[in-house]
């Protein structure tokens, strides 16, 4: 018997799995249990195997910072990083409590006293760094989408404009964020001068770098989506004599939405990768800086902590992609395209 | 008096291999309320004729007059039922028809009237049970019904149908033909329909226009179908006159204008471009 559970086309035989399969297909198991096994148990086995191989391999790799950490050490560091975060939070709470108390006292003594509330200035924890990175990537991505979607729409509708912009798009698309970074840093330093900046310079630099790399997939896919509206649907609009605006809103944009989302998903993925590199290089706060700092720090725990960051980066990237997918599912009419 | 006059229309396309004269001197006069079928071999230029009447293509010579006024752009007075239904996939059945109703009767009907008119037309094609379904959730025959409802809802002067049932299985097709006859009996529209199906042409039409093979295709022969309405396909099956008409069309297509030995062109579908990041 073949193992249809995995992929009906790859037919290989294994008595143990055959028995498992037969067991699953017998009437005792309702479909839901079978589904659960397929979606939980099988990935679980794969992950367990991965951890086993990793653990075994790690023991045999000696680095200047000691043994490459195995799953256990990494887990320990994850717990400890979370603990540090909790401790830091507690300290912050205490700080604010003390400050409030002091201010209350001051006011009680002299109702006209000037009360100042100072923010807590502790070291950002791992969790804070994740938050910063998320905020930065979100900012960069939203700015990029706000620019790229209209540009893509206009390029898709006007062949002339497309011909004009296409060379620029094609040349800038493959540029690595690392090449943009020095330029962006200098330009931000030169232009973003204010006494009391709303955002830190480093934040602006990273966000703009992300924007620059997020633009292209969205522009290109939106352009293709808009320009490849089915000719038959355009004929419908001509027969109905739809005005330019109605045609755009009712026919062109909806049919471009699936590709627009494809572009945005690609952009977000690229943006997240770019951000980590940018933070690392430019010493902007965030996960990239965390990794860099740990690397420079070079303690015995550093490698395990970096590994925690690697997993965090992967999980966040995965969550971002899933988030876009959910959004696409809500917004797009093309339910089949979503699964691609 | 002639309602629609296709006056010696010719068209030449510029192709990579030089100019291609597809139609030459196509002349046809259609009366109000008449049902005319266009039949001819694949690639002879039937769709091109229809698209010129619709205004989607411009004739290179000659022209089309509707009520003595020249047609030179598309408009809802010449509604088209497309071969592949062309419903907007992101709109429900109701919204697809409603979009047409809203555009055509923006000034002349109130909101409530437009709603009722949409429902009325969907009722006419027996689609009231699936108002909120999307096109990809209904069968091919149902999509074609909605396409017809959308065209009818525009209250066109001429209804143009490009192989409306070509993509359907034969059982569904007979249902759709009966539906169309029923609607035609009630509304008495002026219709030009393209078909490949000889039985369909004889059953539905007042006149069958047979086209010669391209290039430079033109009207080869016109056959008046003098059968009483309502027509019943079962009773017509052994009606000698019906069979005579069938034979006449078949002879035209397969004896006198047999398909030249070129490979039949594949039906063109809109190319799906794939985008990469
Ligand atoms: N835009 C165009 N440019 C060049 N040639 C064209 C164009 N449109 C149609 N043709 C040619 O005109 C001829 C007639 O095409 P048309 O689509 O009208 O045929 P048809 O009779 O409707 O065929 P079918 O029954 O297969 O639908 C074909 O040879 C086609 O290649
Ligand atoms: Mg055709």
């Amino acid at each position: 018997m073949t193992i249809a559970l995995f992929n009906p086309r790859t037919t290989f035989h294994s008595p143990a799995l055959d028995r498992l399969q037969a067991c699953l297909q017998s009437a005792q198991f309702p479909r839901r249990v079978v589904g659960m096994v397929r979606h939980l148990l099988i990935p679980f086995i794969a992950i367990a195997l991965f951890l086993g191989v990793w653990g075994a391999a790690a023991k045999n790799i000696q680095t200047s910072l000691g043994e490459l950490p195995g799953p256990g050490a990494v887990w320990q560091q994850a717990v400890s990083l979370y603990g540090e975060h909790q401790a830091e939070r507690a300290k912050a709470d205490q700080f604010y409590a003390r400050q409030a108390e002091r201010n209350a006292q001051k006011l009680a003594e002299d109702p006209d006293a000037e009360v100042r509330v100072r923010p807590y200035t502790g070291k950002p924890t791992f969790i804070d760094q994740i938050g910063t990175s998320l905020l930065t990537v979100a900012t960069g991505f939203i700015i990029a989408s706000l620019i790229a979607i209209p540009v893509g729409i206009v390029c898709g509708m006007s062949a002339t404009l497309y011909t004009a912009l296409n060379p620029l798009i094609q040349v800038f698309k493959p540029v690595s964020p690392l090449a943009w970074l020095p330029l962006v840093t200098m330009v931000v330093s030169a232009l973003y001068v204010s006494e009391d900046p709303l955002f830190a310079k480093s934040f602006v630099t990273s966000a703009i770098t992300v924007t620059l790399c997020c633009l292209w997939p969205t522009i290109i896919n939106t352009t293709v989506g808009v320009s490849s509206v089915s000719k038959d649907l355009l004929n419908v609009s001509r027969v109905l004599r739809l005005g330019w605006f109605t045609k755009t809103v009712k026919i062109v944009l909806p049919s471009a939405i699936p590709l627009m989302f494809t572009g945005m998903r690609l952009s977000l993925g690229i943006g997240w990768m770019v951000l980590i590199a940018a933070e690392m290089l430019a010493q902007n706060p965030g996960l990239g800086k965390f990794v860099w700092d740990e690397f420079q720090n070079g303690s015995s725990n550093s490698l395990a902590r970096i590994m925690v960051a690697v997993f965090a980066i992967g999980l966040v990237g995965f969550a971002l992609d899933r988030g876009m997918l959910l959004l696409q599912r809500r917004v797009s009419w093309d339910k089949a395209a979503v699964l691609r | 008096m002639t309602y629609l006059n296709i006056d010696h229309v010719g068209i030449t396309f510029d192709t990579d291999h030089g100019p291609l004269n597809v139609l030459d001197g196509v002349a046809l006069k259609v009366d109000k309320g008449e049902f005319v079928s266009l039949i001819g071999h694949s690639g002879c230029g039937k769709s091109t004729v229809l698209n010129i009447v619709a205004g989607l293509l411009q004739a290179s010579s000659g022209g089309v007059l509707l009520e003595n006024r020249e047609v030179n752009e598309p408009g809802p007075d010449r509604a088209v039922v497309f071969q592949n239904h062309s419903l907007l996939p992101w709109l429900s059945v109701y919204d697809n028809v409603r979009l047409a109703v809203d555009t055509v009767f923006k000034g002349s009907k109130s909101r409530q009237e437009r709603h009722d008119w949409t429902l009325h037309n969907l009722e006419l094609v027996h689609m009231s049970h699936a108002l909120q379904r999307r096109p990809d959730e209904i069968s091919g025959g149902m999509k074609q019904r909605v396409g017809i409802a959308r065209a009818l809802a525009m209250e066109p002067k001429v209804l143009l149908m490009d192989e409306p049932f070509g993509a359907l299985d034969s059982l569904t097709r007979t249902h759709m033909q009966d539906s169309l006859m029923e609607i035609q009996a009630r509304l008495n529209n002026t219709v030009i329909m393209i078909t490949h199906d000889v039985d369909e042409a004889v059953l539905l039409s007042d006149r069958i226009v047979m086209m010669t093979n391209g290039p430079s295709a033109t009207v080869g022969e016109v056959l008046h179908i003098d059968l009483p309405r309502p027509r019943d396909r079962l009773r017509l099956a052994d009606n000698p006159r019906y069979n005579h008409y069938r034979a006449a069309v078949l002879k035209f297509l397969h004896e006198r204008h047999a398909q030249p030995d070129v490979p039949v062109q594949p039906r063109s579908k809109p190319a799906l471009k794939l985008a990469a990041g």
Side-chain angles (χ1 to χ4, degrees):
Chain A
M1 205 190 79
T2 57
I3 302 162
L5 259 185
F6 298 98
N7 181 350
R9 268 168 295 168
T10 57
T11 53
F12 67 98
H13 298 261
S14 145
L17 280 170
D18 278 359
R19 238 173 290 135
L20 177 69
Q21 169 88 342
C23 185
L24 288 174
Q25 283 181 343
S26 65
Q28 297 159 289
F29 286 103
R31 291 192 67 116
R32 284 188 43 204
V33 176
V34 177
M36 228 160 74
V37 167
R38 182 185 298 186
H39 292 297
L40 293 178
L41 188 64
I42 292 173
F44 180 79
I45 293 172
I47 291 171
L49 271 173
F50 167 71
L51 292 179
V53 172
W54 169 21
K59 278 205 195 75
N60 299 316
I61 301 177
Q62 288 296 331
T63 71
S64 59
L65 291 177
E67 203 174 79
L68 198 72
V74 170
W75 176 249
Q76 222 175 1
Q77 282 311 312
V79 172
S80 120
L81 279 169
Y82 187 65
E84 282 167 32
H85 174 70
Q86 297 285 61
E88 198 69 23
R89 272 293 137 83
K91 267 209 269 181
D93 287 346
Q94 275 170 17
F95 171 83
Y96 285 119
R98 273 202 310 276
Q99 180 172 276
E101 206 176 306
R102 245 181 296 131
N103 287 341
Q105 226 168 15
K106 246 193 223 168
L107 281 176
E109 285 166 15
D110 172 12
D112 298 329
E114 205 179 310
V115 173
R116 257 186 298 165
V117 179
R118 264 168 306 177
Y120 176 73
T121 51
K123 183 171 160 286
T125 65
F126 181 62
I127 311 280
D128 294 337
Q129 305 276 41
I130 296 182
T132 314
S133 285
L134 276 175
L135 191 67
T136 320
V137 83
T139 311
F141 171 71
I142 289 170
I143 295 175
S145 300
L146 287 180
I147 298 171
I149 291 176
V151 170
I153 291 171
V154 176
C155 277
M157 301 218 278
S158 152
T160 322
L161 212 67
Y162 176 72
T163 330
L165 290 183
N166 193 37
L168 291 179
I169 294 172
Q170 297 303 337
V171 167
F172 285 134
K173 190 179 68 146
V175 174
S176 150
L178 309 183
W180 283 119
L181 201 61
L183 290 175
V184 174
T185 313
M186 298 316 288
V187 171
V188 168
S189 304
L191 296 182
Y192 190 66
V193 274
S194 96
E195 278 299 294
D196 181 26
L198 190 55
F199 305 106
K201 251 181 202 163
S202 56
F203 173 83
V204 177
T205 310
S206 324
I208 291 181
T209 309
V210 170
T211 302
L212 285 175
C213 297
C214 279
L215 281 174
W216 318 114
T218 308
I219 292 189
I220 291 170
N221 280 279
T222 307
T223 305
V224 173
V226 168
S227 60
S228 61
V229 179
S230 139
K231 200 152 182 277
D232 293 312
L233 296 188
L234 289 179
N235 278 343
V236 171
S237 114
R238 288 177 66 195
V239 168
L240 285 173
R241 288 208 186 124
L242 294 184
W244 180 86
F245 182 77
T246 324
K247 179 180 116 184
T248 309
V249 170
K250 295 267 180 187
I251 295 189
V252 176
L253 291 188
S255 72
I257 275 189
L259 270 179
M260 229 183 260
F261 265 99
T262 306
M264 281 163 72
R265 263 174 80 193
L266 282 171
S267 282
L268 189 57
I270 289 177
W272 181 243
M273 284 204 268
V274 160
L275 176 73
I276 304 297
E279 286 170 346
M280 229 168 181
L281 233 99
Q283 293 293 295
N284 297 322
L287 277 171
K289 181 164 163 31
F290 174 87
V291 171
W292 190 250
D293 286 351
E294 286 300 333
F295 179 57
Q296 296 297 324
N297 189 2
S299 81
S300 56
N301 287 334
S302 285
L303 286 184
R305 286 170 159 245
I306 291 176
M307 210 82 106
V308 174
V310 166
F311 283 112
I313 291 166
L315 286 174
V316 171
F318 177 63
L320 288 177
D321 193 55
R322 283 290 123 152
M324 281 300 290
L325 198 68
L326 285 181
L327 186 68
Q328 180 171 7
R329 245 177 229 180
R330 291 205 59 132
V331 176
S332 178
W333 50 271
D334 189 1
K335 305 296 173 199
V338 171
L339 301 173
R340 268 180 231 141
Chain B
M1 202 203 96
T2 320
Y3 190 58
L4 175 75
N5 186 0
I6 303 174
D7 191 8
H8 297 88
V9 162
I11 191 165
T12 304
F13 289 111
D14 284 321
T15 65
D16 297 341
H17 318 289
L20 175 67
N21 181 235
V22 170
L23 296 177
D24 190 31
V26 174
L28 178 66
K29 292 181 176 170
V30 182
D31 290 330
K32 194 164 186 199
E34 203 180 5
F35 194 118
V36 175
S37 291
L38 275 184
I39 200 164
H41 285 293
S42 184
C44 70
K46 305 180 294 294
S47 298
T48 310
V49 173
L50 204 79
N51 285 337
I52 292 172
V53 177
L56 294 167
L57 284 176
Q58 291 293 324
S60 319
S61 63
V64 176
L65 297 166
L66 177 60
E67 288 186 313
N68 285 325
R69 240 178 283 152
E70 180 157 11
V71 162
N72 41 27
E73 60 167 348
D77 56 342
R78 281 154 286 124
V80 185
V81 178
F82 295 91
Q83 179 165 2
N84 59 353
H85 67 77
S86 295
L87 299 177
L88 307 185
W90 47 89
L91 294 184
S92 67
V93 162
Y94 173 87
D95 287 332
N96 262 290
V97 179
R98 180 66 189 262
L99 176 67
V101 173
D102 279 349
T103 338
V104 177
F105 300 105
K106 214 178 311 162
S108 53
K109 277 186 170 42
S110 75
R111 221 185 155 70
Q112 183 63 39
E113 282 170 334
R114 291 193 304 242
H115 171 74
D116 293 342
W117 180 240
T118 307
L119 290 184
H120 169 79
N121 280 284
L122 281 163
E123 176 102 51
L124 212 57
V125 296
H126 308 295
M127 281 300 296
S128 308
H129 60 284
L131 295 178
Q132 292 313 322
R133 294 224 230 140
R134 296 267 180 85
D136 56 359
E137 296 166 345
I138 59 180
S139 70
M142 288 158 105
K143 279 183 236 187
Q144 219 42 273
R145 283 174 198 272
V146 180
I148 292 173
R150 176 172 68 183
L152 290 174
M154 300 178 206
E155 282 195 322
K157 290 178 179 157
V158 183
L159 183 61
L160 304 170
M161 301 205 273
D162 192 348
E163 288 184 55
F165 313 137
L168 305 180
D169 64 275
S170 58
L171 203 62
T172 315
R173 194 186 308 180
T174 53
H175 280 302
M176 296 295 294
Q177 289 161 354
D178 292 340
S179 270
L180 186 60
M181 278 196 285
E182 175 199 321
I183 292 168
Q184 187 58 12
R186 282 171 68 173
L187 304 180
N188 204 30
N189 276 312
T190 311
V191 183
I192 300 182
M193 181 180 80
I194 294 177
T195 179
H196 273 134
D197 183 335
V198 177
D199 291 296
E200 180 171 283
V202 179
L203 184 69
L204 296 177
S205 318
D206 298 317
R207 257 194 307 160
I208 300 180
V209 175
M210 293 170 257
M211 289 184 62
T212 62
N213 289 327
S216 305
T218 188
V219 173
E221 207 171 294
V222 178
L223 187 68
H224 282 267
I225 306 295
D226 197 9
L227 292 170
R229 290 181 189 269
R231 295 175 186 167
D232 177 339
R233 70 175 70 245
L234 289 180
R235 262 188 289 145
L236 285 179
D238 35 43
N239 177 326
R241 202 147 18 122
Y242 173 83
N243 285 315
H244 163 74
Y245 291 137
R246 272 191 84 228
V249 178
L250 284 172
K251 275 199 188 113
F252 177 90
L253 289 178
H254 300 295
E255 235 173 61
R256 271 173 289 159
H257 293 273
Q259 179 74 305
D261 48 2
V262 288
V264 176
Q265 286 182 335
R267 281 277 149 65
S268 66
K269 281 199 176 133
L272 187 74
K273 276 192 216 153
L274 284 181

